[in-house]
Structures are given as C-alpha cells and as structure tokens.
Amino acid sequence: MPKLSVYNISGQPTGEEIELNEVVFGVEFNEAVVHQAIVMQHANQRQGTAATKTRGLVRGGGRKPWKQKGTGRARSGSTRSPLWVGGGTVFGPQPRSYDKKMPRKARRLAIRCALSAKVAAGEMVVVDGLAFDAPKTKNVVNMLAAFDAADKKALIITNGENENVELSSRNMPKVTALSNACLNCFDLLNNNKVFLAKDAIARIEEVLA
C-alpha cells in the first residue's frame, strides 16, 4: 500500500504516516480511459450556441432581382443566395449539444488513475487541518511557500465545501480549490502539486474503492 507523510499547514511534518488504499491510489495508469474522461469533461463545458443564418433566415430576397433572360447577366432568383454578399451561409454552425457520456465505472477508474499518477510522481501532499480562519489570499500564499510550491500550479482538495479556502485561492491564477466531491481528471493532471486534506481521504476511498 502506498504511504504518505502527513504535514501541517505550515509545511512541518506531523510525524504521522497515512496508508492509502491501493485500489484508489495505486492503480496502473490507463491512458485511454483518462484521455476519454478529459475529452468528455471539455466537451460537456461547451455551450454549443454558435449559429449562422441560412438563406431561409436572412432578411429580404423575396423578389427575383431581374428577369430570367435577356439581360446578359447570370440567372438569379434571390439576393440572399449564398453566392451573394449578404446572402445566407451554407453549412455554417448551428446550435447543438456537445455532451459526451462515459460509464460510471470508467469515470471512476480515470480519477483513480489520476490520483495514482500524482502519488507515484511524488506530487501529492497530505495536509492535516487544511482550513483557514478567514478568507485571505495570504493564507494560501504562505502555505504554498512552506511547501516550495509558490511558483507552481497547485490544486487544493478539501473535505466538503470550504468557503474560506475557496475564497482565499480565488485570486491566484495558478491555484484551484475543489471539494473532494468534485474531483476530476483534468484538474488533477493539470496541476504540478496536489494538496489533499487528510480528512478528505476517507470519503474519496469510500466512493472510489
């Protein structure tokens, strides 16, 4: 079973080691499943509201511009033909849904792979008492500095929603704060350092094991 040392919020080791469930934090990386999960996440964030007007939606063009024969010009039936400036668009984007779905077991496997990859790479830190008394950006700055991660992209995972942690990190472009209920592959793999609240581990293992 993988083991990680536990630190306090000031970056000091507490002398405790925590055993992680191998089923969650020690699985082999499945690149195909992780890729599918990230593609699904990005696709589901798309609004799909892009739209263009076809010749039937463009205003005007009801009258034939000139007679069919005898003018020497090309035949034309509408000023809103796609061939004309101001005409309709052919095969342009229309509102659509980009939603993708994955089986629940595959989604959870992808998250287990991402968590295991961070543990194997030594990029996960277990923090005891990951909470702040007040929402201050300085709290997060000091914590990152204590772990030599001030200039790195960091992910903070709390036990449930923690408003003070979320508000403290919101002004920092390289820091993301999530509750353990909102784990996802992209945020786990897109950050160089993952700070995991000690009291959040039990719930993560309960859901993913």
Side-chain angles (χ1 to χ4, degrees):
M1 283 190 174
K3 293 183 179 180
L4 289 179
S5 299
V6 180
Y7 296 83
N8 60 25
I9 205 166
S10 301
Q12 303 298 322
T14 62
E16 179 187 359
E17 272 194 344
I18 188 167
E19 282 192 2
L20 302 175
N21 191 331
E22 194 168 3
V23 176
V24 178
F25 294 93
V27 302
E28 185 179 351
F29 193 80
N30 189 323
E31 185 176 349
V33 172
V34 172
H35 175 266
Q36 187 178 355
I38 292 177
V39 169
M40 179 195 69
Q41 183 179 342
H42 284 173
N44 291 345
Q45 290 174 345
R46 298 184 67 175
Q47 290 183 326
T49 54
T52 53
K53 290 185 177 182
T54 63
R55 64 182 298 164
L57 298 175
V58 181
R59 184 177 179 182
R63 183 172 67 92
K64 188 174 174 66
W66 49 76
K67 64 181 183 177
Q68 181 82 347
K69 291 179 175 294
T71 64
R73 290 181 287 188
R75 297 172 293 185
S76 182
S78 172
T79 58
R80 293 301 173 253
S81 164
L83 303 178
W84 285 52
V85 174
T89 301
V90 181
F91 304 131
Q94 295 295 319
R96 53 167 291 194
S97 172
Y98 288 92
D99 284 353
K100 291 182 180 293
K101 293 183 179 180
M102 284 178 65
R104 181 185 300 173
K105 287 184 178 180
R107 293 198 308 268
R108 291 182 175 178
L109 173 60
I111 295 175
R112 291 199 298 268
C113 289
L115 289 169
S116 301
K118 286 299 172 184
V119 173
E123 297 177 351
M124 181 174 289
V125 180
V126 177
V127 183
D128 190 13
L130 183 51
F132 304 134
D133 296 330
K136 292 184 178 179
T137 304
K138 189 175 181 180
N139 293 331
V140 179
V141 172
N142 292 339
M143 185 184 79
L144 295 180
F147 289 97
D148 295 326
D151 58 342
K152 296 181 180 179
K153 296 177 71 175
L155 174 65
I156 302 174
I157 303 172
T158 59
N159 183 29
E161 293 186 5
N162 190 314
E163 188 176 5
N164 286 344
V165 173
E166 183 181 344
L167 293 175
S168 298
S169 60
R170 193 163 61 180
N171 287 337
M172 304 182 67
K174 290 187 176 181
V175 180
T176 306
L178 293 176
S179 75
N180 52 356
C182 298
L183 283 181
N184 62 82
C185 284
F186 178 75
D187 284 323
L188 283 169
L189 297 176
N190 191 46
N191 289 281
N192 306 117
K193 207 77 171 177
V194 177
F195 296 94
L196 177 60
K198 178 187 172 184
D199 50 359
I201 295 176
R203 179 58 179 163
I204 291 174
E205 292 180 342
E206 178 186 349
V207 173
L208 296 178

